[in-house]
C-alpha cells in the first residue's frame, strides 16, 4: 500500500501515524477516521489526524476535555471499544452528538494504549448499511491500530519527542490509485463536457474542483470563477443553509442526497450529490415544478446569511454549555466554539465582580491590551460596560460607528466591527461578551438575534458555573482541612507527601495519609482510602485517622493498629469499608514493620536503586469482620532506601491490569532522580498523570531514612 498523502502544515513526527491510520481505514472500510492525542496535562484531547472529512466539519471536535461525555473520551476512560450501531443509539447515549450530527451512520471509538499509558483514541464512522456489529477482521484491524499507534507514541515519548498536533489537524487522504492514462483523462473530460446536464465535483471541503460547461450555464456563472470556491459562498441564491446541509450530510453519512434550489428569476434546479472518500459528484439539471425534494429559496439577506456550519457549531456549543461545570469550562467552550463558528478575530468574555468587569477569557487579544480593560468599574460609560448595565446589545458595523458611540475607547489593531452582548441571568447582569472583526460587518437582523441568543446561553452557563466554583472551593477547603497541614520533623528521616483530587464535582475524597512520631527513633507512616466520595466518607476518614494516630502513639504494632481500628469501624457500622497500610519505622535499628488491610502494596527502592513491590500478607478491608486479625511483616530499611506508600488512584488505569501498572510505578521509582525526596514524589505523581485520566483521588507518602 502506498503511504497516504498528508498536509505538511502539522507538527513533525505525526507522519509515523499516517500509514497506520491509512491501514485501519482501509481494512475496516470506515468512511471517516479521526485520531485524537492526549495533551501533556492529560485533561484535553486534540484532534491530530482526519481522514474522509474536512477540517470545517470536524472543527467542533478539534479539542475535547477528557472528562466530557463523548465516545472517544469514554473509550479512553473505560479502556474498551465504544460501539454505536444506529442514529437512535447515538441520540440516546450521547444526546449532544445526536443534536449536531443528525445523520445515519455507525460509530466506533477505541483507546490507544502503550506501555500502560493511554495516549489517545481513534474514532471511525461507517455508512448505515454496514452490518450491525464489527466483524472479527474489522475488530482485529482496530485493535492492531491501537497497539501500533500506542507503541509509536510510547517510543516517541521515551525519546523525549512526544507526538502532538501543532495547529489544525492533519488531513490524511486515501492512497492515490494508479495514475490515469492522459488519453483516458482527456476522454473523460470531453465526455463530461458533451453531456447536456450539469456535472460538478466538490472536494471534502466543499470546494469546486470541476464543473462542465452545461453545469456552469445552469448555475449562471463562468467555470473559472467557480473553481476553488464553495458554491454557497459564491452563488448568492445558494446561500440558504439547505445546500451546505446536504453537502455535510452526504460527507458524513456517505449516502446520496438531493435538493432543489430556485435561481432567480425563478429557474428551479435539482442537485443530486454522490459522495465517496475523496469528495462529491454533483448532478445538476432543471427541476420539475412538482418536485418533492427540499426547496431552497433565496434568503432575504443573502450576503450575510448565517451559514449552516455556524448554526451547527452553535448548536454544539449550546449542548456543551449545558454540561459545563466550572467557569473555566464555560470560558474555554465559548472561546473555542464561537471563533470557528462565526469568524470573529477577537473575543473577550467578562464577568461582574465587586462592581467591576473582570476579563475571564479571551482569544485574539494581547494580555497587555486587556490589562487596560480588566477591572473597569461598571459605572463607566465605555463599550462592554454599557451593555451590562442597560441589558441591550450594541452592534457597530464599522470603526466610524464605534468611534461615534465610544470616542474614548481604545481600538485594538485594525479591528473594524464589533458586537457587545450583555450576559444576563435571572434578570441580573453576569457580565458581557465582546466580539470583534477585522472587516466591516453589517450585522443583519438574523445574525443579531443569533448572537443575542448565544449570549443568553453563555450567561446562564456562567451563572451555574460560578455557583459550582464556590461550592467546589468550599469542598476543597473541607477536604484539605481533614488532612495534615504539616508533617512532623523527625531526625534522620526525609518525608514527602502529596494529595491530588480527581475529576469534577462536589465529591470529597476519602484518601488520607499521616506521619506519627512515637519516640525519638520510631515513627509511623499511615495511608488509607475510605470507600466513597462524599461527606460521609470524609467524616469516616477523619475518624480512621484519629484512631490510627491514637493507637500508634500508644506503641501498638502495625498489625495491632489495624486490628483495633477495624473493631472501631465495625462498631460504628458506617456501611463503608476502608483500606489501610501501616509502616512503623525503627530508625535506630534500620528496620520497618508493615501491616495492610486490603491496601495496595508498598514500593521499596534499595540504596543501589533496585526497586521491588513488597509482598505484605494481605488482610481484610477494615469494617468487614470485627474478628479479623492483621499480621505484621518486618523488613530492612537501611539509610538511603526509599519507601513509598500510595492509594490505588496512583496505579488504577482503565483496561490495564493493576499488577502491570504497579510494576510500572516501581520501574518509575527506580528511574527517579533522588537529590530531593520531593522530586521523587513529584516524579511518581507525574507518572500517574501520564498513564490515564484519574478517576479516583491520589494520596502518596514517601519516606527515606538517612544517617
Amino acid at each position: 500500500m502506498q503511504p497516504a498523502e498528508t498536509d505538511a502544515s502539522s507538527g513533525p513526527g505525526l507522519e509515523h501515524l499516517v500509514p497506520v491510520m491509512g491501514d485501519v481505514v482501509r481494512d475496516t472500510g470506515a468512511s471517516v477516521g479521526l485520531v485524537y492525542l492526549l495533551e501533556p496535562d492529560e485533561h484535553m484531547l486534540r484532534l491530530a489526524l482526519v481522514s474522509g472529512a474536512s477540517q470545517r466539519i470536524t472543527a467542533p471536535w478539534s479539542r475535547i476535555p477528557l472528562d466530557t461525555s463523548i465516545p472517544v473520551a469514554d473509550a479512553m476512560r473505560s479502556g474498551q471499544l465504544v460501539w454505536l450501531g444506529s442514529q437512535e443509539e447515538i441520540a440516546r447515549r450521547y444526546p449532544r452528538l445526536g443534536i449536531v450530527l443528525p445523520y445515519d451512520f455507525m460509530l466506533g471509538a477505541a483507546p490507544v494504549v502503550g506501555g500502560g499509558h493511554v495516549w489517545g483514541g481513534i474514532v471511525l464512522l461507517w455508512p448505515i448499511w454496514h452490518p450491525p456489529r464489527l466483524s472479527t477482521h474489522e475488530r482485529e484491524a482496530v485493535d492492531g491500530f491501537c497497539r501500533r499507534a500506542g507503541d509509536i507514541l510510547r517510543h516517541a515519548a521515551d525519546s523525549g519527542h512526544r507526538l502532538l498536533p501543532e495547529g489544525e489537524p492533519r488531513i490524511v487522504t486515501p492512497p492515490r490509485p494508479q495514475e490515469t492514462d492522459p488519453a483516458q483523462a482527456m476522454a473523460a473530460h470531453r465526455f463530461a463536457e458533451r453531456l447536456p446536464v450539469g456535472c460538478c465535483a466538490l472536494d471534502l471541503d466543499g470546494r469546486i474542483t470541476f464543473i462542465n460547461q452545461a453545469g456552469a450555464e445552469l448555475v449562471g456563472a463562468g467555470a473559472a470563477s467557480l473553481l476553488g470556491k464553495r458554491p454557497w459562498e459564491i452563488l448568492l441564491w445558494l446561500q440558504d443553509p439547505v445546500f451546505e446541509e446536504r453537502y455535510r450530510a452526504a460527507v458524513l453519512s456517505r449516502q446520496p442526497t438531493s435538493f432543489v434550489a430556485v435561481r432567480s428569476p425563478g429557474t428551479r434546479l435539482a442537485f443530486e450529490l454522490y459522495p465517496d472518500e475523496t469528495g462529491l459528484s454533483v448532478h445538476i439539471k432543471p427541476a420539475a415544478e412538482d418536485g418533492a425534494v427540499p426547496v431552497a429559496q433565496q434568503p432575504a439577506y443573502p450576503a450575510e446569511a448565517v451559514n449552516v456550519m455556524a448554526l451547527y457549531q452553535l448548536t454544539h456549543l449550546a449542548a456543551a454549555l449545558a454540561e459545563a461545570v466550572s467557569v473555566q469550562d464555560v470560558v474555554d467552550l465559548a472561546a473555542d466554539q464561537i471563533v470557528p463558528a462565526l469568524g470573529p478575530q477577537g473575543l473577550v468574555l467578562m464577568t461582574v465582580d465587586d462592581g467591576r468587569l473582570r476579563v475571564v477569557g479571551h482569544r485574539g487579544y494581547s494580555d497587555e491590551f486587556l490589562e487596560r480593560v480588566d477591572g473597569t468599574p461598571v459605572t463607566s460609560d465605555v463599550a462592554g460596560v454599557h451593555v451590562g448595565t442597560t441589558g441591550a446589545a450594541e452592534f457597530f458595523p464599522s470603526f466610524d460607528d464605534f468611534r461615534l458611540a465610544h470616542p474614548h475607547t481604545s481600538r485594538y489593531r485594525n479591528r473594524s466591527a464589533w458586537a457587545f452582548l450583555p450576559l444576563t441571568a435571572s434578570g441580573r447582569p453576569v457580565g458581557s461578551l465582546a466580539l470583534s472583526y477585522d472587516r466591516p460587518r453589517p450585522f443583519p437582523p438574523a445574525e443579531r438575534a443569533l448572537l443575542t441568543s448565544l449570549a443568553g446561553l453563555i450567561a446562564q452557563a456562567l451563572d451555574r458555573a460560578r455557583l459550582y466554583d464556590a461550592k467546589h472551593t468550599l469542598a476543597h477547603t473541607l477536604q484539605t482541612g481533614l488532612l495534615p497541614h504539616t508533617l512532623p520533623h523527625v531526625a534522620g528521616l526525609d518525608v514527602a507527601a502529596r494529595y491530588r483530587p480527581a475529576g469534577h464535582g462536589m465529591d470529597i475524597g476519602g484518601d488520607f495519609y499521616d506521619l506519627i512520631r512515637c519516640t525519638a527513633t520510631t515513627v509511623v507512616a499511615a495511608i488509607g482510602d475510605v470507600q466513597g466520595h462524599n461527606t460521609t466518607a470524609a467524616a469516616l476518614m477523619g475518624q480512621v485517622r484519629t484512631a490510627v494516630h491514637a493507637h500508634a502513639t500508644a506503641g501498638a504494632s502495625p498489625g495491632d493498629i489495624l486490628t483495633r481500628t477495624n473493631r472501631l469501624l465495625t462498631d460504628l457500622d458506617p456501611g463503608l469499608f476502608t483500606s489501610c497500610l501501616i509502616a512503623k519505622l525503627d530508625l535506630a535499628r534500620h528496620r520497618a514493620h508493615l501491616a495492610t488491610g486490603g491496601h495496595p502494596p508498598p514500593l521499596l527502592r534499595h540504596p543501589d536503586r533496585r526497586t521491588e513491590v513488597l509482598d505484605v500478607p494481605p488482610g481484610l478491608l477494615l469494617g468487614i469482620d470485627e474478628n479479623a486479625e492483621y499480621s505484621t511483616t518486618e523488613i530492612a530499611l537501611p539509610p538511603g532506601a526509599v519507601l513509598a506508600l500510595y492509594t490505588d488512584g496512583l496505579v488504577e488505569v482503565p483496561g490495564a491490569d493493576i499488577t502491570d501498572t504497579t510494576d510500572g510505578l516501581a520501574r518509575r521509582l527506580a528511574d527517579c532522580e533522588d537529590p530531593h525526596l520531593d522530586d521523587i514524589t513529584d516524579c511518581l505523581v507525574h507518572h500517574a498523570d501520564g498513564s490515564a485520566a484519574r478517576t479516583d483521588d491520589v494520596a502518596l507518602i514517601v519516606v527515606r531514612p538517612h544517617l
Side-chain angles (χ1 to χ4, degrees), residues 290-528:
D290 58 349
V293 290
V295 177
Q297 300 292 341
Q298 184 171 345
Y301 298 90
E304 294 295 333
V306 178
N307 64 57
V308 73
M309 300 299 281
L311 293 173
Y312 271 108
Q313 290 199 42
L314 290 176
T315 303
H316 177 264
L317 174 62
L321 285 172
E323 300 176 7
V325 178
S326 67
V327 168
Q328 193 58 50
D329 290 341
V330 176
V331 170
D332 290 342
L333 282 168
D336 292 337
Q337 294 297 322
I338 293 175
V339 172
L342 296 180
Q345 282 66 53
L347 174 149
V348 182
L349 191 62
M350 295 168 281
T351 60
V352 177
D353 184 15
D354 196 23
R356 294 180 179 272
L357 278 184
R358 297 293 180 184
V359 175
V360 294
H362 64 89
R363 294 290 188 275
Y365 283 91
S366 67
D367 293 335
E368 293 76 15
F369 180 83
L370 292 179
E371 284 177 359
R372 303 198 297 268
V373 177
D374 192 32
T376 302
V378 295
T379 54
S380 303
D381 187 17
V382 297
V385 174
H386 189 250
V387 297
T389 55
T390 64
E394 292 184 347
F395 298 92
F396 302 105
S398 69
F399 176 60
D400 290 340
D401 296 318
F402 180 69
R403 184 171 52 187
L404 182 63
H406 301 286
H408 304 297
T409 302
S410 300
R411 180 188 189 186
Y412 185 72
R413 294 183 179 174
N414 62 338
R415 299 294 155 82
S416 300
W418 292 262
F420 293 94
L421 308 164
L423 302 180
T424 306
S426 302
R428 297 178 294 103
V430 175
S432 63
L433 173 66
L435 305 175
S436 60
Y437 304 80
D438 283 348
R439 295 181 179 180
R441 193 176 186 89
F443 296 111
E447 186 174 16
R448 295 189 181 206
L450 187 68
L451 292 176
T452 302
S453 298
L454 168 67
L457 291 173
I458 294 175
Q460 293 172 13
L462 270 177
D463 202 35
R464 294 192 305 269
R466 293 171 74 180
L467 178 61
Y468 163 83
D469 282 350
K471 291 181 177 179
H472 187 267
T473 300
L474 177 62
H476 180 70
T477 302
L478 175 59
Q479 172 72 62
T480 54
L482 293 170
L483 294 170
H485 293 284
T486 59
L487 296 175
H489 173 73
V490 179
L493 186 69
D494 295 330
V495 184
R498 298 289 185 273
Y499 172 77
R500 298 282 294 275
H504 283 307
M506 279 291 296
D507 292 346
I508 303 172
D511 291 18
F512 68 91
Y513 61 83
D514 208 348
L515 187 73
I516 306 143
R517 182 163 40 199
C518 302
T519 69
T521 59
T522 60
V523 62
V524 167
I527 195 157

Side-chain angles (χ1 to χ4, degrees), residues 671-691:
D671 295 338
C672 292
E673 297 299 327
D674 61 352
H676 302 287
L677 200 61
D678 277 329
D679 295 334
I680 294 177
T681 307
D682 289 335
C683 177
L684 295 178
V685 172
H686 293 157
H687 172 76
D689 287 345
S691 61

